[in-house]
Amino acid sequence: MKRSLHLIWIFLTFFIFTANAQNVTLKGKIVEDVPEAYPIPNATLTISNTKLIYSANKNGEFSISIPEKNKVDSLIITSLGYKAKVISIKDMLKTQFSTVKLKSAFLQLDDVVVNAKKATKLYVGSDKERSFGKYCPFPELQHAFYIPNDNNTTGIIRSVRFFIRECENGVIDAPFRVKLYGKADMRDYPGQELIQDAIIARAQKNNEWLSVDISQYNVEVPYDGFFIVLEILPLQYYSSEVTSTETTYDGNKITVMHYPAPAIGYEKLEEGLIARSWRRYGINKWEKVDQYNYMMGANITAD
């Protein structure tokens, strides 16, 4: 009996030690790389080679728990208006608290006289003020809308826009990720990512356009067009799922599961219009959406 109790005690001790060793905690503060060290609010923290995304608070502070297996990876810290910084997680664990300094992405250059025509500002994409419907979210769902380049425009993509709606029991200011993709070679669906940083956006109002400034990345307009993408984050970044009762076309009542993340509005695909929307779940293949087009757009400064 004593031997059995001794073995149980060893097992429990090992189990507790193993459970506690599954995660490590990173603590710190993100500030501007200036003498005043102003805090940078709501910066995004991403673990390299994973889909793990975190956020600092309004004071620039963070305390995140990550799987121990990711100690060999790096922490990528980004914020709009600042240059991204990559730090070894092993180095961060050497101290209890890390102060991370980000440099401004905007540089003051010497005056240059250029004799050229004035740049033209263009808006491409959906311009409707009301949506025909909305597509409620699922974890790791990506909505993509294709912007063609029929006029061979050259220039910089300055910002992207999304018409954000709220689903049943949703949270309008829940986060989502903004992405840009080029066009796959000789195919119609999204190809290579044009921005590697994790750009996290949040809407403030329901049934309105949200503009996200990406000018700091200086993304040139691809000759064959590009895709604007809204990606729903993994489930752990939202509160628990909710359900609602809906009526089908044949009058039956069904229970539909939703997630408290923002929905993208869409417009009806009228006769003569071309379907330009795609979607995919996680790393699955892209699927063409033939019934409607997502309400997305981009502001471009053309040469």
Side-chain angles (χ1 to χ4, degrees):
M1 181 67 178
K2 288 184 178 181
R3 178 177 174 82
S4 298
L5 290 174
H6 180 68
L7 290 174
I8 292 173
W9 181 85
I10 293 175
F11 173 77
L12 290 175
T13 302
F14 175 78
F15 176 80
I16 293 171
F17 175 80
T18 304
N20 290 334
Q22 287 179 347
N23 293 288
V24 294
T25 300
L26 302 177
K27 293 184 179 181
K29 186 174 184 177
I30 304 167
V31 300
E32 293 186 33
D33 192 5
V34 295
E36 296 82 1
Y38 299 118
I40 299 176
N42 305 318
T44 301
L45 302 93
T46 309
I47 308 300
S48 62
N49 305 314
T50 74
K51 290 189 175 182
L52 297 174
I53 302 174
Y54 307 88
S55 179
N57 64 19
K58 63 181 180 180
N59 298 316
E61 300 166 339
F62 64 90
S63 177
I64 60 176
S65 178
I66 68 171
E68 187 180 24
K69 65 180 181 180
N70 295 112
K71 287 167 57 176
V72 298
D73 295 319
S74 299
L75 186 68
I76 305 171
I77 303 174
T78 58
S79 182
L80 290 178
Y82 298 90
K83 295 181 179 179
K85 192 159 191 176
V86 181
I87 307 175
S88 166
I89 292 177
K90 283 186 177 180
D91 290 343
M92 294 188 70
L93 290 173
K94 293 177 182 178
T95 60
Q96 293 183 344
F97 191 91
S98 301
T99 300
V100 181
K101 297 181 179 181
L102 298 186
K103 294 182 179 294
S104 172
F106 302 101
L107 302 177
Q108 183 66 44
L109 304 177
D110 294 335
D111 292 337
V112 178
V113 177
V114 178
N115 294 318
K117 63 179 181 180
K118 186 177 180 180
T120 303
K121 295 182 179 179
L122 302 175
Y123 176 75
V124 289
S126 173
D127 59 0
K128 294 184 180 297
E129 293 303 319
R130 299 184 65 179
S131 67
F132 178 80
K134 59 186 176 183
Y135 197 104
C136 288
F138 296 91
E140 301 184 63
L141 169 64
Q142 294 187 63
H143 303 291
F145 180 67
Y146 176 59
I147 302 292
N149 190 5
D150 298 330
N151 297 322
N152 298 318
T153 299
T154 58
I156 300 297
I157 305 171
R158 312 300 297 182
S159 64
V160 291
R161 296 207 312 165
F162 305 89
F163 194 87
I164 302 298
R165 294 191 57 179
E166 186 177 69
C167 276
E168 292 76 4
N169 300 315
V171 180
I172 195 62
D173 62 351
F176 62 89
R177 185 173 181 179
V178 177
K179 292 184 173 182
L180 281 186
Y181 285 91
K183 191 176 181 181
D185 292 339
M186 306 301 292
R187 291 176 171 83
D188 293 332
Y189 53 79
Q192 184 176 2
E193 285 193 52
L194 302 179
I195 299 177
Q196 298 300 319
D197 287 355
I199 302 175
I200 305 300
R202 292 177 174 86
Q204 298 297 321
K205 296 181 180 180
N206 186 28
N207 279 331
E208 289 195 9
W209 284 97
L210 170 68
S211 181
V212 180
D213 183 3
I214 58 171
S215 57
Q216 71 177 87
Y217 296 102
N218 290 318
V219 179
E220 296 183 359
V221 179
Y223 74 93
D224 54 355
F226 59 96
F227 289 83
I228 305 169
V229 175
L230 182 155
E231 180 182 31
I232 302 300
L233 300 176
L235 182 58
Q236 62 263 35
Y237 298 102
Y238 306 102
S239 56
S240 59
E241 66 271 9
V242 293
T243 59
S244 65
T245 302
E246 297 184 6
T247 303
T248 62
Y249 291 109
D250 54 5
N252 293 324
K253 297 287 186 179
I254 60 173
T255 299
V256 179
M257 180 178 293
H258 304 288
Y259 294 90
I264 183 68
Y266 61 79
E267 55 185 78
K268 188 177 181 180
L269 197 62
E270 304 289 351
E271 185 176 352
L273 293 181
I274 299 174
R276 295 177 178 169
S277 297
W278 295 76
R279 65 170 175 248
R280 75 171 176 180
Y281 300 89
I283 60 174
N284 295 329
K285 292 183 179 180
W286 286 100
E287 300 174 353
K288 187 72 174 291
V289 178
D290 295 319
Q291 301 86 357
Y292 46 78
N293 272 328
Y294 297 128
M295 293 176 67
M296 302 182 190
N299 287 293
I300 294 172
T301 300
D303 298 335

